[in-house]
């Protein structure tokens, strides 16, 4: 004959393995990265005491205003992210939880990823220079452009590099700055033909730009919704898809006439 256990005892026995599983889940590392707004850098200025954009072989002009390249900071590929970190990130406005593979698609060690990001940055800088000089009708055979942005890797500053080169060489084409004296931030990859592409992490980058005083943000068209989710009402979001279109939008914004495509 079987003896029936008292209900509280039975519940306690049944709950024990469940609680054990929850404890293991809480302590086990998860395949996520937690990101937050990172530093911004004015590409028209200096970084680490050196010009971000250094041009030789052609006269340059003094500039006013700011063109801020923006970044996010994410937990590294070898970092342990636990359930508590994921919950905190989900409910915090200034953090985002993303699959680790979306942040570090190449996989590998921290050193491997750093090397990959450095290669992507170099390719982005070359494409940004070519796109800017093509826009101005100038040749890379006569003009040398050196770009430096500290420890930042990846291709997301491409658009801002191109705009900075154009501003230093030609401004808005009629004696003014393409910023109109404003603090403008933005993000986006660029190819040597001037096509702008999405980069990810835009909602956090908008927060970084707002924190550092930008009033205008250049957004790859495909990421407008993400930008709108975190942008303050005071920030103007300009939708961009090409370098030429971006220049037209900034010129129209400066002059207060014409079309400025907004998110």
């Amino acid at each position: 004959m079987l003896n029936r256990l008292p209900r509280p005892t039975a519940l306690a026995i049944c709950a024990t393995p469940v609680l054990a599983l929850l404890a293991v889940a809480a302590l086990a590392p998860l395949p996520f990265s937690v990101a937050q707004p990172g530093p911004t850098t004015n590409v028209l200025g200096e970084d680490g005491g050196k010009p971000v954009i250094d041009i030789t072989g052609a006269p340059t002009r003094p500039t006013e205003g700011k063109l801020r390249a923006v970044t996010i900071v994410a937990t590294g590929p070898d970092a342990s992210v636990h359930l508590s970190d994921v919950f905190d990130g989900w409910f915090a406005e200034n953090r985002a939880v993303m699959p680790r593979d979306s942040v570090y698609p190449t996989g590998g060690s921290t050193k491997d990823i750093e090397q990959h990001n450095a290669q992507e940055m170099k390719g982005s800088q070359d494409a940004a220079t070519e796109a800017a000089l093509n826009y101005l009708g100038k040749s890379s055979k006569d003009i040398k452009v050196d770009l430096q942005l500290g420890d930042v890797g990846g291709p997301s500053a491409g658009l801002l590099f191109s705009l900075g080169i154009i501003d230093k060489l030609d401004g808005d084409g009629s004696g003014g700055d393409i910023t109109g004296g404003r603090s403008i931030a933005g993000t986006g990859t660029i190819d040597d033909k001037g096509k702008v592409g999405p980069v990810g992490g835009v909602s956090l980058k908008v927060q970084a730009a707002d924190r550092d005083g930008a009033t205008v943000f250049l957004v790859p068209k495909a990421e407008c919704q993400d930008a709108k989710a975190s942008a303050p009402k005071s920030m103007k979001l300009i939708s961009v898809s090409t370098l030429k279109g971006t220049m037209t939008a900034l010129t129209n914004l400066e002059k207060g006439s014409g079309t400025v495509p907004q998110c």
Side-chain angles (χ1 to χ4, degrees):
M1 181 177 178
L2 296 174
N3 293 323
R4 179 176 295 178
L5 293 173
R7 184 178 179 84
T9 303
L11 289 174
I13 292 173
C14 292
T16 298
V18 175
L19 292 173
L21 287 173
L22 289 175
V24 170
L27 295 174
L30 300 173
F32 294 101
S33 286
V34 180
Q36 62 187 29
T40 71
T41 304
N42 175 25
V43 300
L44 298 175
E46 295 185 345
D47 181 50
K50 298 180 180 180
V52 175
I53 300 174
D54 187 35
I55 300 174
T56 54
T60 58
R61 55 185 298 280
T63 59
E64 294 184 5
K66 294 180 174 66
L67 286 171
R68 289 198 168 275
V70 293
T71 64
I72 61 172
V73 177
T75 51
D78 300 326
S80 294
V81 175
H82 299 94
L83 193 60
S84 59
D85 302 312
V86 173
F87 280 141
D88 288 345
W90 273 337
F91 292 105
E93 292 185 0
N94 65 340
R95 275 175 283 175
V97 178
M98 298 178 282
R100 186 174 294 157
D101 289 346
S102 70
V103 181
Y104 304 107
T106 60
S109 66
T110 299
K111 184 177 180 180
D112 292 336
I113 289 169
E114 288 175 350
Q115 290 176 342
H116 173 77
N117 286 342
Q119 290 171 355
E120 282 207 321
M121 171 62 90
K122 180 62 169 63
S124 172
Q125 291 174 339
D126 292 344
T129 299
E130 195 67 26
L133 295 180
N134 285 341
Y135 175 84
L136 295 172
K138 298 181 182 294
S139 172
S140 57
K141 294 179 180 179
D142 303 316
I143 299 173
K144 182 181 178 182
V145 180
D146 288 323
L147 302 171
Q148 138 124 13
L149 197 54
D151 296 327
V152 177
S156 66
L159 173 61
L160 272 292
F161 282 143
S162 289
L163 294 174
I165 294 167
I166 293 171
D167 205 20
K168 281 179 169 283
L169 286 172
D170 196 54
D172 63 1
S174 57
D177 298 291
I178 64 175
T179 64
R182 297 177 175 86
S183 179
I184 297 175
T187 192
T189 64
I190 199 163
D191 64 19
D192 57 3
K193 306 299 183 185
K195 182 180 179 181
V196 177
V199 292
V202 167
S203 63
L204 297 177
K205 291 179 178 181
V206 166
Q207 293 180 43
D210 179 53
R211 178 200 64 210
D212 290 353
T215 57
V216 177
F217 195 94
L218 306 173
V219 188
K221 186 176 181 179
E223 296 179 302
C224 270
Q225 290 303 315
D226 290 341
K228 289 169 68 174
S230 62
K233 292 182 179 180
S234 59
M235 179 175 284
K236 186 182 293 292
L237 300 175
I238 299 180
S239 172
V240 298
S241 55
T242 66
L243 178 59
K244 182 178 179 180
T246 304
M247 285 296 299
T248 299
L250 290 176
T251 300
N252 290 344
L253 178 66
E254 178 192 356
K255 295 180 178 179
S257 62
T259 301
V260 179
Q262 299 186 46
C263 291

